[in-house]
């Protein structure tokens, strides 16, 4: 039921255990999946100098339904790192603002 011009705002609450020194992690949002022009947006990029556990990460992210592919295509959060990591999702929140 989303329309062009609507926005979705997400809050994510996760914990990450890194496995190596100088580890970089990215949390991304893949949008318009299954459509002609899928794309990704970077939500957060973090760098950990040493191995650590229970790194609490909270982020807010807003998506604008600016085109039909974003509106009808699939979407998902994605975690990326060159090194292994354990992730625990503590919770999510989302809010839709309609035009």
């Amino acid at each position: 039921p989303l329309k062009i011009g609507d926005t979705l705002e997400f809050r994510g609450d996760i914990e990450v255990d890194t496995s190596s020194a100088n580890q970089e992690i990215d949390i991304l949002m893949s949008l318009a999946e299954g459509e002609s022009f899928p794309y990704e947006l970077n939500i957060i990029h973090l760098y950990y100098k040493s191995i650590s556990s229970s790194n609490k990460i909270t982020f807010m992210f807003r998506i604008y339904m600016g085109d039909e592919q974003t509106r009808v295509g699939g979407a998902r959060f994605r975690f990326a790192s060159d090194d292994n990591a354990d992730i625990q999702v503590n919770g999510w929140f989302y809010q839709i603002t309609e035009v």
Side-chain angles (χ1 to χ4, degrees), residues 37-98:
F37 300 102
Y39 61 99
E40 282 192 324
L41 299 175
N42 189 20
I43 296 172
I44 194 168
H45 175 86
L46 297 168
Y47 171 80
Y48 294 96
K49 186 173 180 174
S50 58
I51 297 172
S52 58
S53 61
S54 298
N55 298 298
K56 297 179 187 299
I57 302 169
T58 304
F59 60 87
M60 296 289 291
F61 187 68
R62 183 176 292 155
I63 301 168
Y64 173 66
M65 296 295 120
D67 59 52
E68 195 64 15
Q69 291 196 93
T70 302
R71 189 185 77 79
V72 300
R76 65 185 166 125
F77 288 101
R78 196 168 72 76
F79 179 90
S81 179
D82 288 339
D83 299 301
N84 293 332
D86 291 321
I87 307 162
Q88 175 180 315
V89 177
N90 296 322
W92 299 96
F93 168 79
Y94 73 92
Q95 178 176 321
I96 298 170
T97 303
E98 298 181 66

Side-chain angles (χ1 to χ4, degrees), residues 13-25:
D13 179 6
I14 65 174
E15 290 183 39
V16 176
D17 296 340
T18 59
S19 65
S20 66
N22 303 316
Q23 186 168 353
E24 296 182 54
I25 66 169

